[in-house]
Amino acid sequence: MTDFLFSRAWMDAPEAWQLGFQDAATPMMQGIIDLHQDIFFFAIIILVFVLWMLLRSLWHFYYSNNPIPERIVHGTTIEIVWTVVPSIILMFIAIPSFALLYSMDEVVDPAITIKTIGHQWYWTYEVALWVNFSLYYSDYNQSDEQSLAFDSYMIPEEDLELGQLRLLETDNRLIVPANTHVRMIITSADVLHSWAVPALGIKCDAVPGRLNQSSVFIKREGVYYGQCSELCGVNHGFMPIVVEAVSLDDYVQWVSNKLE
């Protein structure tokens, strides 16, 4: 199966001078963007109000306009207002943020579980089934010796083909089906790593001796780029992540080709 070509219509990889988020490909990332916009709205209102208060104070209490300042040092009403109003604003921010936080930790009954292992300096992927909270067995085992597992290394700059992204392309992409609940089990074999794909709204630490999990539901087919987001050594910047979301039929074909 040929790899899905990166489309410029979607911003699923970092771009030069980019200021905003990458286009959301999961409900989780869409929720993160919406929360950011809502909080930014409150931040703009607070900024305008504070600037207005500062300028008003500088104008009215300038020594030439008001050489004899007022002797009032406090007021009960204003102190109640500037205590209650920020509390209400924080409540409006906390309710959606807590809802998003708990939804990020929730793992919906997954159709596929993928085990991701960070190494210095590459990733290993295994399509696996969680059994008894202690062991992994591949969903696609044909024998005790065979399982669907592969390593993913960065493609050197001199080996890049036309259209491939420098420092972001890998020799083996992680293929997942779109519109399917996927559970990611993330760990490390040596030092701290972090498996992060911005368009998917996922950034999960890979800790040696510990299994962290996250849930992914990709809404559209495409190629999504990420990188290790934890300082893991001299080649930290050279272990990219490429996730390709395909249709279910293409995913079954990919699995068959890998097993062959």
Side-chain angles (χ1 to χ4, degrees), residues 118-160:
H119 301 269
Q120 291 181 317
W121 286 272
Y122 63 96
W123 297 98
T124 296
Y125 300 104
E126 179 183 352
V127 181
L129 175 65
W130 182 249
V131 178
N132 294 331
F133 300 97
S134 59
L135 299 175
Y136 277 96
Y137 296 96
S138 174
D139 287 342
Y140 307 103
N141 272 353
Q142 292 183 349
S143 66
D144 293 338
E145 292 79 20
Q146 185 179 9
S147 64
L148 183 51
F150 57 92
D151 298 330
S152 181
Y153 289 87
M154 186 190 75
I155 299 178
E157 186 174 357
E158 59 271 15
D159 296 332
L160 290 175

Side-chain angles (χ1 to χ4, degrees), residues 4-37:
F4 186 95
L5 295 178
F6 177 68
S7 174
R8 301 297 293 181
W10 296 101
M11 190 169 58
D12 299 326
E15 295 186 349
W17 303 100
Q18 178 180 335
L19 296 178
F21 293 101
Q22 295 182 16
D23 294 318
T26 64
M28 202 62 60
M29 186 58 190
Q30 188 61 54
I32 293 173
I33 294 176
D34 292 341
L35 179 64
H36 170 268
Q37 305 293 7

Side-chain angles (χ1 to χ4, degrees), residues 41-53:
F41 171 77
F42 285 108
I44 292 297
I45 293 177
I46 295 171
L47 175 64
V48 171
F49 175 74
V50 171
L51 286 177
W52 175 76
M53 289 293 294

Side-chain angles (χ1 to χ4, degrees), residues 166-217:
R166 176 178 173 269
L167 300 181
L168 290 177
E169 295 289 349
T170 60
D171 56 354
N172 286 308
R173 293 176 172 178
L174 175 61
I175 309 297
V176 297
N179 297 309
T180 303
H181 290 286
V182 179
R183 173 169 52 186
M184 302 296 301
I185 303 293
I186 301 171
T187 187
S188 172
D190 36 52
V191 298
L192 290 174
H193 299 278
S194 185
W195 200 82
V197 183
L200 304 184
I202 180 173
K203 182 178 183 292
C204 188
D205 288 342
V207 182
R210 177 174 178 175
L211 297 176
N212 291 327
Q213 77 173 1
S214 183
S215 181
V216 178
F217 183 86

